[in-house]
Amino acid sequence: MPGLSTSPPLPAPRACAAPLRSWVQSANRDDADFPLAHLPLCVFRPAGTDAIARIGVGIGQEVFDLRRAWRLGLLDTLAPELRRACAAPSLNALFAAGRAASRALRAALTTLLQEGTPDQERSASCLLPQSQAAFDLPAQVGDYTDFLASYNHAHNVGSLYRPDNPVLPNFSSLPVAYHGRASSLVVTDEPVCRPQGQFRAAPQDTATVFGPSRKLDFEMELGVFVGPGNARGHAIAVDEADAHIAGFCVLNDWSARDLQEWESQPLGPFLGKNFATTLSPWVVSPEALEPYRVEIARPASPLLKDYLRHAPSSRRASFEIVTEVRLCTQRMRAQGQAAQLIATALFSRDIVWSFAQMIAHHTVNGCTLRPGDLLGSGTVSGPTPGSEGCLLELTRGGRAPLTLANGETRTYLQDGDEIVLTAFCARPGLPRIGFGECRGRIVPALARD
Amino acid sequence: MPGLSTSPPLPAPRACAAPLRSWVQSANRDDADFPLAHLPLCVFRPAGTDAIARIGVGIGQEVFDLRRAWRLGLLDTLAPELRRACAAPSLNALFAAGRAASRALRAALTTLLQEGTPDQERSASCLLPQSQAAFDLPAQVGDYTDFLASYNHAHNVGSLYRPDNPVLPNFSSLPVAYHGRASSLVVTDEPVCRPQGQFRAAPQDTATVFGPSRKLDFEMELGVFVGPGNARGHAIAVDEADAHIAGFCVLNDWSARDLQEWESQPLGPFLGKNFATTLSPWVVSPEALEPYRVEIARPASPLLKDYLRHAPSSRRASFEIVTEVRLCTQRMRAQGQAAQLIATALFSRDIVWSFAQMIAHHTVNGCTLRPGDLLGSGTVSGPTPGSEGCLLELTRGGRAPLTLANGETRTYLQDGDEIVLTAFCARPGLPRIGFGECRGRIVPALARD
């Protein structure tokens, strides 16, 4: 079994205390995913209510209600239009306001949530345990684009379908991408209905069958939400693209491989992807990730076109983010077992195009990005067994089933299987930055009406 | 030259008077595109003002302002929620309300606009000449999907790129599609900026160049706006899909063939398409098209999967719509010449999947359609010279340039070229139904900032 538990490709990260302490005690634990240095944003409502959605900020085990904070006057130091954006039911207006506005909000929240703040009592009334929050999508996504930016993923998948020519020549020339479907986006914990469609039951078949997908897969990706957009016709330069990144999330680009195999030529994936794409609810800010900024993995090729070329001073355009995939089967749940780690990878090692390069490429033809648009990195797959970000790779196209700790085996996902994706940054001396969970359970295909 | 002017594939249509006369006299002319039997919807504002956008109805040479009609109480016979939808700044709410609501509105408008109506004076105050209207996109489009549903187009284009295997086996099994980009959508008359990008200057080149596209093309398509959507996981049955069609428009899926050729494997078109997609401003209702409803072109193959199979009673799922492409070059404009017809085709003959089949396929995996979503038919290309819906086909990949009446030649579009797409239904004894114009002029690529 190419399981990560036996061959971790990375040294075990060590979590550290955040330098600033919060009066929210759960934020000060060494293993806290959401320390005071983090402050990820989300959109939520108190679970079980039909209260309107509001923006929240993760702190320890709590979510801090920005709408309530606005009502209580706790955000009065902010500019009026920024205050209004904080009271909105989605993050689009905040994203549109840009990085300076986000940093102003971040500074205000840091003040409110740190030990010794004079506003602790009123601020405490804005907290809700995360376990009592129901999350919405963080933003209304106008368009969702998915890239193919892991060389390992391109190679592993290409080897299955085109053994003689696994990685196509354009891969090294531009960040390959396709348009996903915005309506497919759901937030963590939304059940994923097994898609039905046409496929060939065996690769050599000429006839197709119709039915529930037999090759249902996940894809571990990171996502970026677009901040301020661009005007039609105006490209965003690669070294200015950071100003257009509002934040990061974890993304599961569920894939029905059998549907995808049959439909994808000549126009790319369609029904094999657009039945569901699950997002984690938290938007991780570039500021929180800043200590983990590292050089992009790709060497600066002289063949690279200028519009994709980072200036030497901006080559630190990637982030040392560990990704993790866990699987929990129905039987594991029934027996009270925790989800099992089946893959882990390292974003900065395994994704060879920076999000800045993706943005520069996406807009070089004049295409408009709008605030709240979503970019997926493509599957994050590493070079070693157990670092592959999907079952298609982990099981070599189904030929090498995974054997789980309880003896169950998997090629593709079965009904009842739950996939839990997460990501984190951790390094000695730095605050741990967790991305939260992107979780989805497969439910059987619906009978056709 | 494969010009349509010399070999029309269709008998010249003859326009007829509408059975009901309107007090708007321009609607009663035999050649009126917008007779009383038509009543297409749009979103507009008086040109040169910053008035808020409002819904309009085309009648003769005029547009009837629904927002003003609502204020004047002219729509008081309609249900309150339908009245509210009529006063909205986009058609999404009307589309969501479904066909019964649209028919109720249509009946009310027919009464208001026909000769002898008691409300003629107040109704006349709601008219604005179409020449004084500035159009918006008819709806906020959540997702835009483009199909490949003309066998001729698939064959002609496939022959250029894969001479041995022009039409892939999935073409006859399902309506192939890809996700376009909603942010690319613009309404008629918006200039189209020549996209820049990477491409191979010659097919055998291994290196690519960067610059303005040298193979800029149009694609003549029809579009459908989605009415009521579906719940996630719930497929729409092919014979119930008509209830989800709000109306039709003309669509120009501008394509940079050189960008598209280099980027499209393995994930399909991206920057070659997403710089602009132009729509005509008018939404033609299924009711207006009803007299032109005809059988779908495709024989009922026993191999067709059940979910795509029309019941015998619903095989009249296509429409006898003539499409026309005109080109006006900068020189023609300077010399006062009208745009020249360069292609015409017949939707019901040349598109082999019905929109109902496209909807059934799109949702069979549980994918959600939302009100206002847009589906493109794919390029409408006929079987004969001069019926091809794009320059890639008309010029055989650039090898057989078009010679225009003024002696100019074209392989692909030059800066200053304007493409005017239109469509109409016309048959003796039936009212003529015009689709209005989908017009776009190419402007030079912007210098990079």
Side-chain angles (χ1 to χ4, degrees), chain A residues 143 145 170 173 179 181-183 196 198 208 232 234 262 265 271 274 305 307 361 365 367-368 373 446, chain B residues 143 145 170 173 179 181-183 196 198 208 232 262 265 271 274 305 307 361 365 367-368 373 446:
Chain A
D143 282 291
T145 302
N170 58 12
S173 170
H179 292 123
R181 188 168 178 87
S183 83
Q196 306 195 72
Q198 294 186 33
T208 60
R232 193 175 304 282
H234 291 263
W262 176 235
Q265 287 300 323
L271 298 192
N274 67 14
K305 297 282 180 277
Y307 79 93
H361 181 65
N365 70 339
C367 177
T368 50
D373 282 355
L446 291 184
Chain B
D143 281 291
T145 302
N170 58 12
S173 170
H179 292 123
R181 186 165 180 89
S183 83
Q196 305 195 73
Q198 293 186 34
T208 60
R232 194 176 303 282
W262 175 235
Q265 288 299 324
L271 298 192
N274 66 15
K305 297 283 181 276
Y307 80 93
H361 182 65
N365 70 338
C367 177
T368 49
D373 282 355
L446 291 184

Side-chain angles (χ1 to χ4, degrees), chain A residues 142-148 162 168-170 173-174 176-186 190 193 195-198 208-210 232-237 259 262-272 274-276 305 307-308 361-362 364-370 373 446 448-449, chain B residues 142-148 162 168-170 173-174 176-186 190 193 195-198 208-210 232-237 259 262-272 274-276 305 307-308 361-362 364-370 373 446 448-449:
Chain A
D143 282 291
Y144 156 45
T145 302
D146 204 18
F147 284 84
L148 168 63
R162 298 176 305 273
L168 297 175
N170 58 12
S173 170
L174 51 82
V176 172
Y178 71 100
H179 292 123
R181 188 168 178 87
S183 83
S184 77
L185 299 169
V186 298
E190 175 108 358
C193 198
Q196 306 195 72
Q198 294 186 33
T208 60
V209 296
F210 175 85
R232 193 175 304 282
H234 291 263
I236 297 173
L259 276 59
W262 176 235
E263 74 184 354
S264 284
Q265 287 300 323
L267 297 180
F270 184 58
L271 298 192
N274 67 14
F275 56 95
K305 297 282 180 277
Y307 79 93
L308 291 171
H361 181 65
H362 205 318
V364 76
N365 70 339
C367 177
T368 50
L369 301 181
R370 297 176 293 187
D373 282 355
L446 291 184
R448 301 195 58 227
D449 299 332
Chain B
D143 281 291
Y144 156 45
T145 302
D146 204 18
F147 284 84
L148 168 63
R162 297 177 306 272
L168 298 174
N170 58 12
S173 170
L174 51 82
V176 173
Y178 71 99
H179 292 123
R181 186 165 180 89
S183 83
S184 77
L185 299 169
V186 297
E190 175 108 357
C193 199
Q196 305 195 73
Q198 293 186 34
T208 60
V209 296
F210 175 85
R232 194 176 303 282
H234 291 263
I236 297 173
L259 275 59
W262 175 235
E263 73 183 355
S264 284
Q265 288 299 324
L267 296 180
F270 184 58
L271 298 192
N274 66 15
F275 56 95
K305 297 283 181 276
Y307 80 93
L308 291 171
H361 182 65
H362 205 320
V364 75
N365 70 338
C367 177
T368 49
L369 300 181
R370 297 177 293 188
D373 282 355
L446 291 184
R448 301 196 58 226
D449 300 331

Side-chain angles (χ1 to χ4, degrees), chain A residues 14-18 25-35 60-61 424 426 431-434:
Chain A
R14 195 154 60 84
C16 299
Q25 291 310 325
S26 60
N28 299 325
R29 291 171 43 179
D30 280 354
D31 62 349
D33 269 339
F34 296 171
Q61 302 288 323
F424 62 87
R432 178 181 168 91
I433 303 294

